[in-house]
């Protein structure tokens, strides 16, 4: 997909479709953080992520084998490496932070800084220069995250290292994305690449879960509901709505909707899990959104 295709104005026939798509995108995007928070009450996050990635990969496997030509071994190996970084380390790090009770909204906020981190890493790795406005926007966005983080530290519910894991996970995915772009791997349909990512990560999550106990899922209603939610809503629905939106609407418009997921996540976490909401959190969120707007606007 070309940049011109991504940035073209939305056709008039899709004008009334956007509010529906944006609502579904924000809902499904934020649901992943809430789903992890919910099901982590039933089992360790490694066991949760093992079953989430395994079930997702097995559902996608027949489609990956039957639709489109089978990819070459080199392409598969490249996608497996990307899966280690983008699913195992990235998703595992965020899930571990949520398990350690880092505020779920803050985890979502740091996660949505991924495009800014990719832009910043593109200069040393890809030689793509950022404008002064983009650097200013990045600095403002990071300041907003620090405001929310410092306020969250005052609650004392999570160890300091868990906050570092959250930031590190986001940076790992950003670095993996930049390397993936530099290597210019051949195009692979999303159902094939996502299948490879999830199955690769499931092996690693399975090893981690085995070290903590066994791979048997808890036979509870909460665990079943949580895994179903994570697979159908946070994985399949979120990806499908995201890529469909990119085909129909400008990329900046779609990105703006995703940046609204942290406040929605904060509200969900407050309503479902009684996680605190403070004025500093919303102030930091507002500062971050200003920085993101400065960096991403055309």
């Amino acid at each position: 997909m070309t940049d011109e295709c991504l940035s073209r104005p939305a056709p008039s026939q899709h004008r009334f479709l956007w509010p529906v798509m944006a609502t579904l995108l924000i809902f499904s995007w934020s649901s992943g953080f809430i789903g992890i928070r919910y099901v982590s009450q039933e089992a360790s996050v490694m066991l949760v992520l093992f079953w989430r990635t395994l079930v997702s990969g097995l559902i996608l496997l027949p489609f990956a084998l039957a639709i489109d030509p089978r990819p070459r071994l080199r392409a598969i190996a490249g996608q497996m490496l990307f899966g280690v970084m983008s699913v195992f380390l990235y998703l595992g790090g965020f899930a571990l932070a949520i398990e350690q009770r880092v505020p779920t909204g803050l985890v979502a906020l740091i996660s949505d800084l991924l495009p800014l981190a990719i832009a910043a890493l593109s200069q040393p790795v890809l030689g793509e220069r950022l404008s002064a406005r983009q650097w200013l926007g990045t600095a403002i966005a990071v300041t907003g995250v620090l405001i929310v983080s410092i306020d969250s530290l005052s609650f004392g519910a999570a160890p300091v290292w868990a906050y570092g894991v959250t930031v590190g996970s986001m940076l790992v995915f950003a670095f993996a994305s930049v390397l993936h772009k530099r290597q210019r791997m051949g195009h692979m349909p999303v159902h094939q690449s996502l299948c490879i990512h999830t199955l690769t990560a499931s092996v690693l999550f399975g090893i981690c879960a085995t070290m903590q106990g066994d791979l048997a899922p808890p036979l509870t209603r909460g665990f079943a509901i949580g895994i179903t939610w994570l697979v159908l809503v946070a994985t399949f629905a979120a990806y499908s709505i995201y890529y469909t939106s990119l085909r129909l609407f400008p990329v900046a418009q779609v990105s703006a909707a995703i940046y609204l997921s942290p406040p929605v996540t904060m509200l969900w976490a407050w309503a479902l899990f009684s996680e605190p909401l403070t004025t500093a959190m919303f102030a930091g969120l507002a500062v971050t959104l200003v920085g993101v707007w400065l960096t991403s606007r055309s």
Side-chain angles (χ1 to χ4, degrees):
M1 184 178 293
T2 63
D3 293 338
E4 290 78 6
C5 179
L6 288 175
S7 59
R8 66 179 183 274
S12 58
Q13 60 265 33
H14 300 313
R15 181 181 309 164
F16 300 105
L17 179 62
W18 171 243
V20 177
M21 294 293 290
T23 301
L24 292 175
L25 182 60
I26 295 169
F27 174 83
S28 61
W29 204 266
S30 60
S31 69
F33 304 101
I34 298 301
I36 289 290
R37 176 68 174 84
Y38 172 79
V39 78
S40 65
Q41 300 174 127
E42 303 289 334
S44 69
V45 293
M46 292 301 150
L47 186 62
V48 169
L49 292 175
F50 166 71
W51 283 103
R52 173 186 178 176
T53 52
L54 180 64
V55 173
S56 300
L58 291 178
I59 292 175
L60 288 171
L61 186 58
F63 301 97
L65 295 176
I67 303 176
D68 295 310
R70 294 187 181 183
R72 297 179 180 180
L73 290 178
R74 182 178 180 182
I76 293 176
Q79 293 293 340
M80 289 177 65
L81 177 60
F82 191 70
V84 171
M85 302 179 76
S86 65
V87 179
F88 176 65
L89 295 177
Y90 173 67
L91 187 59
F94 281 122
L96 183 61
I98 291 175
E99 184 183 50
Q100 294 296 319
R101 295 301 181 258
V102 174
T104 312
L106 174 59
V107 174
L109 179 60
I110 295 176
S111 173
D112 287 348
L113 289 182
L114 179 64
L116 301 187
I118 292 175
L121 289 173
S122 293
Q123 180 165 349
V125 178
L126 301 176
E128 297 179 357
R129 293 181 176 274
L130 297 183
S131 66
R133 174 178 52 79
Q134 289 176 310
W135 280 117
L136 176 62
T138 300
I140 293 175
V142 171
T143 300
V145 172
L146 290 176
I147 292 174
V148 180
S149 301
I150 293 173
D151 185 64
S152 300
L153 281 171
S154 64
F155 302 132
V160 176
W161 64 263
Y163 292 84
V165 168
T166 309
V167 176
S169 300
M170 183 269 292
L171 293 176
V172 165
F173 194 8
F175 184 66
S177 301
V178 173
L179 287 181
H180 189 271
K181 181 178 179 180
R182 188 179 69 173
Q183 293 174 359
R184 300 183 183 278
M185 295 180 182
H187 171 74
M188 182 180 292
V190 65
H191 64 279
Q192 288 184 338
S193 60
L194 186 58
C195 178
I196 296 171
H197 295 172
T198 52
L199 289 180
T200 301
S202 70
V203 174
L204 299 175
F205 285 132
I207 294 173
C208 294
T210 302
M211 295 173 63
Q212 297 176 344
D214 57 48
L215 298 179
L219 300 179
T220 63
R221 180 182 180 184
F223 187 82
I225 292 174
I227 294 299
T228 302
W229 179 279
L230 289 171
V231 171
L232 297 183
V233 179
T235 302
F236 294 150
Y239 273 89
S240 300
I241 296 169
Y242 176 68
Y243 284 110
T244 301
S245 298
L246 284 180
R247 287 197 300 267
L248 298 177
F249 306 100
V251 63
Q253 189 173 345
V254 177
S255 299
I258 290 177
Y259 291 134
L260 292 177
S261 66
V264 173
T265 305
M266 288 180 181
L267 292 174
W268 277 44
W270 168 75
L272 297 176
F273 311 115
S274 300
E275 291 190 5
L277 289 176
T278 66
T279 303
M281 283 185 173
F282 285 101
L285 176 65
V287 172
T288 300
L289 292 178
V290 170
V292 168
W293 175 77
L294 281 173
T295 304
S296 60
R297 74 184 181 93
S298 59

